[in-house]
Structure formats: structure tokens, C-alpha cells
């Protein structure tokens, strides 16, 4: 049993980091969903109702991004929409990485360096994810018809 402990701990830490990284890359829909879920719970919808309306709100936020990207007539409008969703992901990536670095790194300078690297990584991931949702064949996107 002692042999299984360290690999399982590494696996769980890796799974936790992956989950946090994925949630940070979709920070705006997760934030909206969690806020609406807490609001629903505190206004009397109960736990199940709060979770249900939180999931709907988060899904709608994600759906609005997809719809806005699909209907944006110009590439610069799509870029603004993407940046609207990437900015909270950058802040979330910095915060998550800084929190992890606080537990693992004693030097404040290196904590900040790791946090900035984490913010950049989450920003790039979120940017790539949302750029992939942009419809490439719309007029004004640089495509030839």
C-alpha cells in the first residue's frame, strides 16, 4: 500500500491542476454560473434549483460567446469578444497559479514569476479555445468567397 501512495498523490495533484486550468480558461462562464447558482440558492431555490439555474446561466454565457462570434461581421469585433472572455481567464490563471506557488515556493519573487507564467499559459489556452469557436467562413474574416 505504501508503494501506491506517492503515485496516487501525484495523479490527484495533476488531476486537480488540470481541472483548475480548464475552469480558469473558461473563467467568465464559470463565474457567471457560480454567481447565479449562489444567488438562486440564497433566494430560496434550494440546492438543486441553485445548481440548475447556475448550469443554465453558465451555459448561456458560453452560448452567447459562440453566437456572438458566429454573428460578428468583422474580425476586429470577434477579437474584442474573444478578449472579453480571455481577460477574466488571465486573472483567474494568475490567481490560481499564485495560490499554488504560495504553497510550494518560499520566495515571493519566484511566486510572482510562476503566477505570471501561469497567467500567460491560461491566457493562451483561453485565446486558442475561443479563437477556434470563431466561424472562419464569414464575410469580413479574411476568407475568399
Amino acid at each position: 500500500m505504501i508503494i501506491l501512495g506517492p503515485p496516487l498523490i501525484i495523479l490527484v495533484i495533476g488531476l486537480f491542476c488540470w481541472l483548475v486550468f480548464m475552469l480558469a480558461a473558461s473563467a467568465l462562464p464559470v463565474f457567471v454560473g457560480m454567481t447565479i447558482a449562489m444567488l438562486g440558492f440564497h433566494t430560496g431555490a434550494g440546492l438543486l434549483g441553485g445548481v440548475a439555474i447556475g448550469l443554465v446561466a453558465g451555459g448561456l454565457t458560453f452560448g452567447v460567446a459562440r453566437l456572438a462570434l458566429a454573428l460578428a461581421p468583422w474580425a476586429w469585433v470577434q477579437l474584442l469578444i474573444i478578449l472579453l472572455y480571455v481577460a477574466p481567464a488571465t486573472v483567474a490563471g494568475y490567481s490560481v497559479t499564485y495560490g499554488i506557488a504560495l504553497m510550494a515556493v518560499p520566495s515571493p519573487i519566484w511566486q510572482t514569476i510562476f503566477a505570471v507564467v501561469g497567467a500567460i499559459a491560461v491566457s493562451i489556452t483561453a485565446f486558442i479555445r475561443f479563437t477556434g469557436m470563431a466561424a472562419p467562413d464569414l464575410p469580413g474574416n479574411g476568407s475568399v468567397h
Side-chain angles (χ1 to χ4, degrees):
M1 279 315 233
I2 192 114
I3 295 173
L4 294 177
L8 286 177
I9 289 172
I10 291 171
L11 179 70
V12 168
I13 290 172
L15 181 64
F16 177 70
C17 288
W18 174 81
L19 178 65
V20 167
F21 190 76
M22 287 297 137
L23 289 177
S26 299
L28 187 62
V30 170
F31 173 73
V32 169
M34 291 296 294
T35 302
I36 298 297
M38 287 189 292
L39 178 69
F41 177 74
H42 290 297
T43 56
L47 182 63
L48 186 60
V51 169
I53 64 170
L55 287 172
V56 169
L60 282 175
T61 305
F62 194 71
V64 165
R66 291 186 65 98
L67 183 65
L69 284 173
L71 297 177
W74 302 290
W76 65 269
V77 174
Q78 288 182 341
L79 181 63
L80 286 176
I81 294 166
I82 290 169
L83 290 178
L84 176 71
Y85 279 78
V86 170
T90 303
V91 173
Y94 180 87
S95 298
V96 166
T97 311
Y98 188 74
I100 293 170
L102 278 175
M103 294 183 283
V105 180
S107 169
I109 294 171
W110 281 104
Q111 291 169 355
T112 305
I113 291 170
F114 283 128
V116 169
V117 170
I120 291 169
V122 170
S123 297
I124 291 170
T125 301
F127 186 80
I128 290 171
R129 282 175 132 191
F130 283 104
T131 303
M133 286 192 290
D137 59 343
L138 288 176
N141 285 350
S143 60
V144 178
H145 293 303

